């Protein structure tokens, strides 16, 4: 009997041990599943939110890759394509940063989202990719765009009239005409940005009128007030820019001026109108000198890229196989370098604007 009892006791102990092992295995399996599942969810979320780059795509945000593909199919000059690439690269980074902010619960009023959408519309308008106007023909190259006044047409009638006055005045040499052309194009970009912002404010006013609750109406009213203030600032900026162009046409270029690039002059004026100390202004001036050199280097590569494109077309047309490969390599190198410098200039401009708006340049950032 004792032996039988011992066997039963042993069997019960074995069964209990088996149950514990099964439970442990199930627990480990369940734990592993729970550990893998969040990773899979995080991976899915990251894929959706960051729109990770796919092979052969230039940008992580799908719509920007679509714009780039469309631009390559159209008759944009190589310099325009390089410039568009730089703008899209900045937009790509800004959109991904915004998505991370939104995922963390920021931008509840949608202000940053609206600004990013507006910047995207500015890009489409700037490169005639919004379907409103035909793209410039490929024959319109960078050098002729800068130097041939007969082919210059600006969308704004006042700007076009002022340009005609400048190019027929006899005050400006060829180099100054190129510089002036860049200033006019910079002003035209400002006008386009202003019109897009005005359309956005107009749509926001329509939405505000359809607010369904007092709480919602209050939030929309605050956002609308912010947009109106931004629109007012943008309009003042356009007016000041046009006033500067009129003064420039009347007086000509000042040889004693600290800077010659329009973007740098704008930043310098912005700095001088702020409450900076003398030492801070000296520091800003040095930063802007470096920035202007970077812009001039970018312009140099734009000109070299256009010349390389013209030469490559000539070599292809005469069937010179000996020089074709060498010219293709140089053209490819100049394209990549122009894209790279274009991005650096735009990113530097963005950073300078942000830092000056905050009240100065951090010496650690110089």
């Amino acid at each position: 009997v004792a032996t039988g009892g011992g066997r039963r006791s042993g069997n019960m102990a074995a069964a209990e041990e088996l149950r514990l092992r099964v439970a442990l295995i199930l627990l480990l399996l369940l734990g592993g599943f729970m550990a893998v599942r969040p990773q899979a969810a995080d991976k899915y979320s990251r894929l959706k939110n960051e729109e990770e780059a796919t092979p052969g795509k230039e940008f992580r945000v799908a719509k920007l890759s679509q714009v780039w593909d469309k631009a390559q199919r159209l008759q944009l000059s190589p310099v325009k394509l390089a410039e568009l690439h730089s703008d899209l690269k900045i937009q790509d980074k800004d959109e991904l940063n915004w998505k991370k902010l939104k995922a963390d619960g920021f931008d509840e009023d949608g202000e940053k989202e609206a600004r990013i959408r507006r910047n995207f519309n500015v890009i489409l308008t700037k490169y005639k990719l919004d379907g409103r106007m035909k793209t410039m023909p490929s024959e319109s190259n960078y050098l002729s765009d800068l130097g041939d006044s007969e082919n210059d047409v600006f969308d704004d009638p006042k700007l076009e009239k002022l340009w005609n006055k400048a190019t027929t005045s006899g005050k400006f040499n060829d180099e100054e005409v190129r510089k002036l052309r860049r200033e006019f194009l910079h002003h035209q970009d400002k006008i386009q940005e202003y019109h897009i912002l005005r359309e956005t404010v107009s749509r926001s006013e329509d939405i505000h009128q359809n607010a369904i609750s007092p709480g919602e109406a209050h939030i929309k009213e605050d956002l609308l007030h912010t947009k109106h203030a931004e629109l007012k600032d943008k309009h003042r900026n356009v007016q000041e820019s046009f006033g500067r162009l009129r003064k420039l046409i009347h007086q000509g270029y000042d040889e004693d001026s600290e800077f010659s690039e329009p973007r740098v002059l704008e930043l310098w004026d912005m700095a001088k109108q702020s409450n900076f100390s003398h030492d801070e202004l000296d520091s800003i001036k040095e930063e802007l000198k470096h920035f202007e050199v970077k812009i001039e280097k970018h312009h140099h590569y734009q000109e070299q890229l256009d010349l390389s494109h013209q030469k490559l077309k000539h070599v292809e047309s005469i069937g010179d196989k000996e020089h074709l490969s060498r010219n293709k390599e140089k053209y490819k190198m100049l394209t990549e370098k122009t894209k790279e410098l274009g991005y650096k200039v735009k990113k530097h401009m963005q950073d300078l604007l942000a830092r000056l708006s905050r009240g100065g340049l951090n010496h650690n950032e110089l």
Side-chain angles (χ1 to χ4, degrees), residues 311-328:
K311 188 174 181 179
L312 180 60
K313 286 200 300 184
H314 174 69
V315 171
E316 287 174 336
S317 67
I318 62 176
D320 187 349
K321 294 181 180 179
E322 182 182 350
H323 295 95
L324 184 59
S325 177
R326 190 188 314 157
N327 277 275
K328 279 185 175 180

Side-chain angles (χ1 to χ4, degrees), residues 120-179:
F120 178 64
N121 289 332
V122 167
I123 291 172
L124 295 181
T125 303
K126 180 179 178 181
Y127 296 97
K128 319 298 185 194
L129 298 169
D130 55 357
R132 296 182 184 180
M133 295 181 65
K134 292 181 68 175
T135 306
M136 291 289 287
S138 57
E139 287 77 15
S140 177
N141 59 58
Y142 177 74
L143 295 179
S144 65
D145 281 350
L146 288 179
D148 187 355
S149 62
E150 293 180 358
N151 294 329
D152 288 315
V153 179
F154 294 96
D155 297 334
D156 184 70
K158 285 177 26 179
L159 197 60
E160 175 67 11
K161 184 178 178 180
L162 192 62
W163 174 250
N164 288 334
K165 182 179 179 181
T167 52
T168 57
S169 67
K171 288 183 181 179
F172 305 98
N173 59 37
D174 290 345
E175 182 58 35
E176 287 173 334
V177 168
R178 291 191 183 200
K179 192 189 301 182

Side-chain angles (χ1 to χ4, degrees), residues 77-92:
S77 70
V79 173
K80 279 282 188 184
L81 272 177
E83 192 75 358
L84 171 62
H85 188 278
S86 304
D87 280 331
L88 290 176
K89 193 172 179 182
I90 293 284
Q91 183 74 12
D92 197 47

Side-chain angles (χ1 to χ4, degrees), residues 103-126:
D104 292 338
F106 296 99
D107 196 32
E108 292 182 359
D109 59 3
E111 186 179 346
K112 286 185 174 63
E113 180 183 8
R115 183 173 286 108
I116 284 175
R117 190 184 300 117
R118 189 164 65 247
N119 290 344
F120 178 64
N121 289 332
V122 167
I123 291 172
L124 295 181
T125 303
K126 180 179 178 181

Side-chain angles (χ1 to χ4, degrees), residues 16 28-29 35 84 91 119 142 144 147 152 163 186 192 205 220 232 261 269 279 303 322 335-336 338:
E16 183 65 26
L28 289 171
L29 286 172
L84 171 62
Q91 183 74 12
N119 290 344
Y142 177 74
S144 65
D152 288 315
W163 174 250
H186 183 57
Q192 290 172 344
E205 287 173 340
K220 289 183 177 179
K232 188 177 179 180
E261 265 299 323
D269 287 342
D279 289 343
E303 292 179 2
E322 182 182 350
T335 298
E336 293 306 313
T338 306

Side-chain angles (χ1 to χ4, degrees), residues 146-267:
L146 288 179
D148 187 355
S149 62
E150 293 180 358
N151 294 329
D152 288 315
V153 179
F154 294 96
D155 297 334
D156 184 70
K158 285 177 26 179
L159 197 60
E160 175 67 11
K161 184 178 178 180
L162 192 62
W163 174 250
N164 288 334
K165 182 179 179 181
T167 52
T168 57
S169 67
K171 288 183 181 179
F172 305 98
N173 59 37
D174 290 345
E175 182 58 35
E176 287 173 334
V177 168
R178 291 191 183 200
K179 192 189 301 182
L180 192 62
R181 167 101 175 133
R182 290 198 291 267
E183 298 222 31
F184 271 69
L185 289 172
H186 183 57
H187 179 76
Q188 183 166 264
D189 288 344
K190 288 176 179 292
I191 294 173
Q192 290 172 344
E193 290 173 15
Y194 171 73
H195 286 314
I196 289 171
L197 178 58
R198 191 171 62 180
E199 289 176 11
T200 303
V201 172
S202 179
R203 286 195 300 269
S204 299
E205 287 173 340
D206 293 338
I207 294 170
H208 174 65
Q209 291 174 357
N210 297 322
I212 58 175
S213 69
E216 183 184 356
H218 177 69
I219 292 172
K220 289 183 177 179
E221 189 173 344
D222 288 345
L223 183 56
L224 195 59
H225 178 74
T226 301
K227 286 185 177 179
H228 272 292
E230 188 179 351
L231 183 64
K232 188 177 179 180
D233 287 342
K234 188 75 72 176
H235 183 261
R236 184 172 61 249
N237 187 254
V238 169
Q239 294 291 89
E240 289 173 354
S241 176
F242 188 74
R244 184 182 174 279
L245 285 176
R246 291 181 64 180
K247 182 180 177 182
L248 187 57
I249 301 308
H250 179 67
Q251 298 180 354
Y253 279 101
D254 180 6
E255 295 181 0
D256 297 326
S257 176
E258 295 284 353
F259 305 102
S260 60
E261 265 299 323
R263 283 169 288 185
V264 181
L265 283 165
E266 186 178 324
L267 289 168

